[in-house]
């Protein structure tokens, strides 16, 4: 049977003829280039547009004139990119246009919820549409190349960058990865709203030891291939134009000079044809990793392993020519890398018109277009996860006296998240303003509560007492707590995942005031909410996790609170009970001493003596304002007889509530006996369906042999005969089981 990795990769959705024509044109140009000009194409630098500090290369504009730069990043807007492009086109010898890159991670000017939030929607089409909006805005502002999607699977919420990915699961991450690639790149690279995507960070970065950013990674090649590589491969199969190497080592070899990753897997196995760029100064960091003796050595290792473009450290620019002259790097390798850069420029149409992305009128029309804002609001509604609801939400009829409490309720910047492109706080409203607006006529009182980033117990008593007073005078209190923008994201690992500062004390006090309380949590990662959740028990209270919801986040939150829309998101990452459980994920291997089996001496089973093993909120979990019943599932036959055979599982769902809803039906597999130990559960498919109040729907899943396969200890993909379990339900801990046999 062919392994899933046998799918042929297509670069930027081009058909063979168009690719060959682009290659031919670029080879003609390559033949006219000097070695120095080729190395220039392989070098990328940040502009001084939006960064300050020593990392900016002095005189990069002269480098452009001299043909020593192939790409600039962090430069945007039609006017500025035109100025820089003019230097390259009019003043460099061959006039090769620049490629402008930027981190367009969850929107460019209209900011969508953070990617982890968007993954909570389990809505591939919505995520694709979000990336389409981001591409449309970015392309109108001069950008050709988005450094996205970020697809690092991560099972450790201490790592601040979990906010950029799709969480802990390879299948959900893969679906989100391909949806984003389709969204950024569109159908035609020549279209003026298409940008090249860049899947990152290749690879294993999400498994940083102890959740500490930039830390080393040690994974077996089997786990790397089974868990961390699938979303990258999904992006490659969706036609992604480029790949960014990660900062970390893998099994002692930094990803940015890792020939197994960059040559064998990416090129030989996946047939990837696009461009490989490093992450920021990752070649320089080969010295710190202790694998390169000096900058020249670092450049040699990276280029020979397969890196095509050097982001920011200038090591290629400074050393490649000399390395070629010394025969330490082949001229063919330089040609191969340069050609990839040129082909990308060619397919984007930059040789025909280097200024086609710099158009002020298009830019003015695209940024924050009403349609973009509408989509951002819809995506935010679909991304917020209702964790608890003790008969309080929706607030209908709308309260006449509302207390709004917490610094985050009056913040705009913190709604956007740290990778907010050109998103601006002034484009967003605060939750407080949105509530006041929508509850016109009602009395809305606000108290900022306790400061988030100062853990000041002395002043906390007074502030909390004031907050309780306004809560007691209201019909309902809405307490907004969580992380401020710098608390998740790059270089923002944390060891304490509770609510920062004295916010837990604030929330507990308001809940205890006796006024029905909605707690809204905002953050870039799963938080530890155990004490908060315990305090909600028996109270009229609710807990809504809003992540960082973007420019339209406040409006969307109000839509959910007032019941204009029902929540429908499901967690893409387990929420731990406490930090000591991390890394925590549903797809664990069974242990020889499980706690759920009868055990004569429970002390010697795999567990903690001070905490359950299970998460506080499991993968796939989320409530809504309605209820969907699952009937008994059925399989059309008991046996799958070969690689081309298929089974159909069907199940009837009934919306027994009074509101229309969206259900995310999740299908998990377990292979109880195999040649290697297999995960307790593995998500193999899901469907997100709209189901009207009172309606009954029958849905079905087709199961094929390839979904049963795995990578064995010989690193080969295989599918073994035997009995399998299917678990279908509303989240990983709420499923019904069926079995079937695979007998090829
Ligand atoms: C470093 C980050 O790791 C990467 O994700 C980003 O694309 C680059 N900086 C460029 O900003």
């Amino acid at each position: 049977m062919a392994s899933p990795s046998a799918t042929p990769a297509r670069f930027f959705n081009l058909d063979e003829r168009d690719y060959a024509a682009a290659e031919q044109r670029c080879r003609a140009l390559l033949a006219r280039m000097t070695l120095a000009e080729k190395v220039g194409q392989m070098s990328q630098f940040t502009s001084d547009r939006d960064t300050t500090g020593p990392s900016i290369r002095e005189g990069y504009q002269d480098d452009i004139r001299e043909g020593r730069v192939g790409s600039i990043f962090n430069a945007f807007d039609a006017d500025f990119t035109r100025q820089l492009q003019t230097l390259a086109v009019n003043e460099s010898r061959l006039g090769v246009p620049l490629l402008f890159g930027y981190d367009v991670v969850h929107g460019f000017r209209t900011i969508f919820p953070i990617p982890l939030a968007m993954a909570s929607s389990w809505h591939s089409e919505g995520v694709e549409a979000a990336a389409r909006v981001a591409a449309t805005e970015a392309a109108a502002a001069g950008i050709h190349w988005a450094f996205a999607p970020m697809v690092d699977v991560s099972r450790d919420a201490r790592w601040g960058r979990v906010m950029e990915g799709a969480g802990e699961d390879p299948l959900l991450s893969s679906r989100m990865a391909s949806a984003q690639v389709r969204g950024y790149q569109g159908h035609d690279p020549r279209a003026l709203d298409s940008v090249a995507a860049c899947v990152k960070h290749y690879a294993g970065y999400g498994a940083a030891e102890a959740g500490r950013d930039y830390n080393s990674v040690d994974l077996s090649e089997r786990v790397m291939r089974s868990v961390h590589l699938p979303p990258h491969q999904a992006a490659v199969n969706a036609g992604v134009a480029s790949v960014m190497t990660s900062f970390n080592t893998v099994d002692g070899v930094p990803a940015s000079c890792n020939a197994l990753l960059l040559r064998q897997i990416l090129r030989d196995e996946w047939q990837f044809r696009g461009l490989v760029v490093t992450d920021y100064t990752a070649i320089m960091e080969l010295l710190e990793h202790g694998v390169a003796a000096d900058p020249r050595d670092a450049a040699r290792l990276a280029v020979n392993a397969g890196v095509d473009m050097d982001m920011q450290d200038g090591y290629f620019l400074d050393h490649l020519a000399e390395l070629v002259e010394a025969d330490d790097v082949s001229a063919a390798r330089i040609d191969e890398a340069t050609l990839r850069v040129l082909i990308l420029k060619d397919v984007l149409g930059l040789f025909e018109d280097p200024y086609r992305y710099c158009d002020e009128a298009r830019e003015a029309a695209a940024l924050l277009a009403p349609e973009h804002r509408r989509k951002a609001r819809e995506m935010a509604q679909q991304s917020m996860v209702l964790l608890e609801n003790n008969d309080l939400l929706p607030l209908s009829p709308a309260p006449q006296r509302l207390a709004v409490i917490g610094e985050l309720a009056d913040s705009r910047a913190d709604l956007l998240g740290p990778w907010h492109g050109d998103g601006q706080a002034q484009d967003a409203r605060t939750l407080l303003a949105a509530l006041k607006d929508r509850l016109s006529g009602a009395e809305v009182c606000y108290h900022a509560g306790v400061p988030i980033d100062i853990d000041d117990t002395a002043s906390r008593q007074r502030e909390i007492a004031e907050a309780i007073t306004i809560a007691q005078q209201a019909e309902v209190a809405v307490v907004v707590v969580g992380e401020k923008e710098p608390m998740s994201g790059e270089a923002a690992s944390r060891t304490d995942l509770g609510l920062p500062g004295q916010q837990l004390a604030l929330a507990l006090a308001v809940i205890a005031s006796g006024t029905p309380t909605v707690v809204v949590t905002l953050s870039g990662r799963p938080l530890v909410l155990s004490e908060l959740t315990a305090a909600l028990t028996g109270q009229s209270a609710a807990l809504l996790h809003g992540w960082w919801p973007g420019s339209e986040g406040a409006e969307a939150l109000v839509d959910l609170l007032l019941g204009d829309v029902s929540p429908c998101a499901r967690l893409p990452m387990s929420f731990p009970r406490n930090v000591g459980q991390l890394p925590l994920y549903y797809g664990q291997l069974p242990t020889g001493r499980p706690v759920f089996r009868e055990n004569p001496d429970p002390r010697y089973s795999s567990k903690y003596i001070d905490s359950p093993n299970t998460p506080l909120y499991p993968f796939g979990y989320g409530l809504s304002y309605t209820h969907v019943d699952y009937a008994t599932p059925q399989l059309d036959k008991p046996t799958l007889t070969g690689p081309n055979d298929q089974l159909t599982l069907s199940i009837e769902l009934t919306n027994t509530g009074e509101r229309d809803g969206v259900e995310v039906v999740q299908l998990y597999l377990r292979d109880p006996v195999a040649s290697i130990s297999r995960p307790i559960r593995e998500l193999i498919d899901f469907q997100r369906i709209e189901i009207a109040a009172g309606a009954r729907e029958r849905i079905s899943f087709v199961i094929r042999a390839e979904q049963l396969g795995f990578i064995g200890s010989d690193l080969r993909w295989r599918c073994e005969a035997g009995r399998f379990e299917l678990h279908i339900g509303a989240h990983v801990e709420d499923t019904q089981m069926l079995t079937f046999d695979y007998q090829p």
Side-chain angles (χ1 to χ4, degrees):
M1 177 186 299
S3 93
S5 60
T7 322
R10 288 174 70 201
F11 171 73
F12 222 143
N13 303 319
L14 284 185
D15 65 31
E16 275 310 306
R17 237 193 16 218
D18 289 345
Y19 184 86
E23 182 175 342
Q24 201 183 8
R25 289 190 292 272
C26 293
R27 280 196 186 279
L29 173 58
L30 187 73
R32 294 165 52 214
M33 294 174 86
T34 63
L35 177 59
E37 283 165 336
K38 293 175 188 173
V39 171
Q41 289 303 309
M42 296 169 64
S43 303
Q44 182 189 53
F45 296 104
T46 183
S47 77
D48 51 6
R49 171 63 207 242
D50 68 344
T51 22
T52 49
S55 56
I56 293 166
R57 186 178 169 88
E58 293 291 324
Y60 78 94
Q61 305 209 359
D62 289 335
D63 288 327
I64 297 175
R65 290 190 182 92
E66 287 156 21
R68 289 157 56 83
V69 184
S71 170
I72 292 288
F73 67 113
N74 291 340
F76 58 85
D77 89 34
D79 181 45
F80 185 49
T81 52
R82 177 181 292 276
Q83 286 172 35
L84 296 180
Q85 195 67 297
T86 308
L87 299 179
V89 172
N90 291 357
E91 301 192 32
S92 73
R93 186 182 79 91
L94 289 173
V96 179
L98 293 167
L99 197 58
F100 293 111
Y102 194 49
D103 289 290
V104 186
V105 177
H106 52 113
F108 176 68
R109 178 68 185 263
T110 305
I111 301 306
F112 281 74
I114 57 168
L116 187 61
M118 287 201 274
S120 313
S121 72
W122 297 54
H123 189 195
S124 309
E125 294 79 17
V127 168
E128 179 176 340
R132 197 84 287 284
V133 167
T136 305
E137 293 193 351
I143 293 161
H144 311 130
W145 187 14
F147 299 145
M150 188 284 211
V151 304
D152 299 320
V153 172
S154 182
R155 295 166 163 194
D156 193 332
R158 288 173 297 183
W159 192 51
R161 300 198 79 169
V162 299
M163 58 142 295
E164 291 172 62
E168 71 183 53
D169 182 68
L171 180 90
L172 183 59
S173 298
S174 298
R175 298 252 177 112
M176 294 298 134
S178 37
Q180 288 178 79
V181 172
R182 289 195 301 272
Y184 283 112
Q185 299 196 159
H187 295 295
D188 174 8
R190 293 279 169 128
L192 283 173
D193 56 3
S194 284
V195 297
C198 183
V199 65
K200 66 188 187 184
H201 306 84
Y202 188 72
Y205 185 33
E209 273 182 17
R212 202 179 75 222
D213 204 4
Y214 316 123
N215 204 3
S216 52
V217 168
D218 202 0
L219 291 168
S220 70
E221 188 177 333
R222 194 181 54 74
V223 171
M224 176 65 112
R225 285 176 179 270
S226 312
V227 175
H228 298 271
L229 295 188
H232 288 276
Q233 190 178 8
V236 167
N237 288 342
V240 76
S242 64
V243 168
M244 185 186 292
T245 64
S246 55
F247 289 125
N248 53 284
T249 51
V250 181
D251 194 15
V253 184
S256 299
C257 65
N258 192 313
L260 170 66
L261 288 173
L262 299 178
R263 288 220 166 274
Q264 184 184 318
I265 296 178
L266 190 60
R267 302 289 182 193
D268 301 346
E269 296 180 23
W270 297 353
Q271 303 284 301
F272 175 65
R273 283 171 158 181
L275 180 70
V276 172
V277 63
T278 64
D279 202 343
Y280 200 105
T281 63
I283 301 180
M284 183 174 85
E285 291 168 28
L286 299 181
L287 274 74
E288 292 296 340
H289 281 303
V291 298
D294 52 36
R296 184 180 187 273
D297 201 25
R300 176 183 65 80
L301 287 172
V303 77
N304 284 342
V307 169
D308 301 316
M309 186 180 273
D310 170 358
M311 184 190 284
Q312 190 57 20
D313 50 44
Y315 280 18
F316 275 8
L317 197 57
D318 294 344
H319 302 289
L320 283 190
E322 189 188 320
L323 284 162
V324 173
E325 273 143 29
D327 242 4
D328 285 331
V329 172
S330 72
R333 173 75 268 268
I334 302 294
D335 283 357
E336 177 186 62
T338 309
L339 195 60
R340 289 192 186 123
V341 181
L342 299 178
I343 289 175
L344 184 52
K345 294 180 177 184
D346 183 285
V347 303
L348 287 164
L350 297 181
F351 288 113
E352 275 166 41
D353 177 5
Y355 305 104
R356 61 201 302 271
Y357 282 62
C358 325
D359 178 335
E360 281 84 353
R362 210 170 71 236
E363 181 177 27
L367 303 189
L368 295 172
E371 179 61 6
H372 298 176
R373 281 188 174 270
R374 188 183 63 73
K375 288 190 169 142
R377 181 165 173 172
E378 266 175 29
M379 198 23 102
Q381 292 163 348
Q382 294 165 9
S383 299
M384 299 181 189
V385 190
L386 183 62
L387 297 174
E388 301 282 347
N389 191 12
N390 302 338
D391 284 334
L392 181 58
L393 288 178
L395 301 176
S396 170
Q400 288 309 298
R401 282 195 332 280
L402 187 72
V404 179
I405 296 164
E407 189 181 322
L408 288 173
D410 197 25
S411 167
R412 301 196 276 197
D414 294 305
L415 299 178
L416 302 187
W419 285 109
H420 55 243
D422 190 29
Q424 314 205 351
Q426 82 223 23
D427 303 334
R429 297 176 82 198
T430 68
L431 177 60
L432 179 62
L435 273 168
K436 280 187 172 163
D437 195 33
R438 295 277 283 287
L439 294 177
S440 63
E443 193 187 323
V444 178
C445 295
Y446 174 67
H447 192 283
V450 291
I452 297 177
D453 33 21
I454 312 166
D455 200 351
D456 176 8
T457 29
S459 60
R460 129 187 169 187
Q461 298 305 341
R462 181 180 45 81
E463 284 151 352
I464 291 178
E466 288 166 5
I468 292 173
T469 307
I470 73 151
Q472 281 170 335
Q473 289 159 2
E475 280 167 61
V476 175
V478 175
V479 186
V480 187
V481 287
E483 294 183 317
K484 287 174 76 69
E485 191 199 78
M487 293 176 170
S488 279
E490 186 174 350
S493 295
R494 289 175 60 205
T495 58
D496 178 352
L497 300 186
L499 295 168
Q502 295 294 320
Q503 293 181 100
L504 176 63
L506 172 72
L508 295 180
V510 177
I511 294 164
S513 74
T515 300
T517 303
V518 182
V519 182
V520 175
T521 42
L522 300 178
S523 70
R525 50 152 64 89
L527 295 171
V528 168
L529 300 173
S530 312
E531 275 186 72
L532 183 65
T533 302
L536 300 180
T537 314
Q539 306 279 346
S540 171
L543 175 59
L544 178 65
H545 190 69
W547 301 109
W548 282 326
S551 314
E552 293 292 316
E555 304 296 346
L557 257 165
V558 178
D559 295 336
L560 295 180
L561 294 177
L562 300 186
D564 296 347
V565 177
S566 174
C568 57
R570 303 287 190 269
L571 294 177
M573 244 186 128
S574 312
F575 270 45
R577 292 172 194 273
N578 57 56
V579 171
Q581 292 179 298
L582 298 175
L584 179 68
Y585 53 100
Y586 79 87
Q588 299 191 344
L589 297 187
T591 105
R593 298 195 171 190
V595 277
F596 49 83
R597 223 196 284 155
E598 264 190 40
N599 195 321
D601 182 359
R603 173 147 191 114
Y604 296 101
S605 58
S606 176
K607 62 179 176 53
Y608 302 102
I609 57 172
D610 58 355
S611 165
N613 289 355
T614 53
L616 183 64
Y617 297 112
F619 179 80
Y621 170 82
L623 304 172
S624 76
Y625 294 157
T626 189
H627 180 78
V628 173
D629 266 353
Y630 287 62
T632 306
Q634 285 160 355
L635 274 177
D636 64 344
K637 54 187 187 187
T639 308
L640 200 56
T641 56
N644 300 320
D645 194 11
Q646 61 183 48
L647 290 176
T648 303
L649 180 156
S650 61
I651 187 162
E652 198 170 81
L653 308 177
T654 310
N655 182 344
T656 54
E658 281 161 18
R659 299 182 57 116
D660 298 350
V662 170
E663 186 68 10
V664 179
V665 185
Q666 301 159 37
L667 180 62
Y668 298 88
L669 180 85
R670 178 160 187 210
D671 182 353
V673 183
S675 55
I676 56 170
S677 188
R678 303 281 299 126
I680 298 170
R681 297 280 182 276
E682 191 180 1
L683 184 72
I684 58 164
D685 206 352
F686 61 87
Q687 287 182 39
R688 181 182 184 278
I689 57 155
E690 292 180 8
I691 178 160
R696 187 173 295 177
E697 303 269 351
R698 177 164 283 277
I699 61 160
S700 51
F701 288 91
V702 171
I703 295 126
R704 296 192 178 79
E706 67 172 38
Q707 288 167 289
L708 319 179
F710 61 92
I711 294 167
S713 39
D714 56 359
L715 299 182
R716 285 173 189 275
W717 192 84
R718 61 176 61 224
C719 189
E720 295 176 349
R723 176 146 296 189
F724 288 84
E725 295 172 5
L726 289 169
H727 299 260
I728 184 163
H731 63 79
V732 71
E733 290 180 7
D734 175 17
T735 56
Q736 301 180 70
M737 186 178 90
L738 295 156
T739 57
F740 68 93
D741 293 316
Y742 179 53
Q743 283 172 5

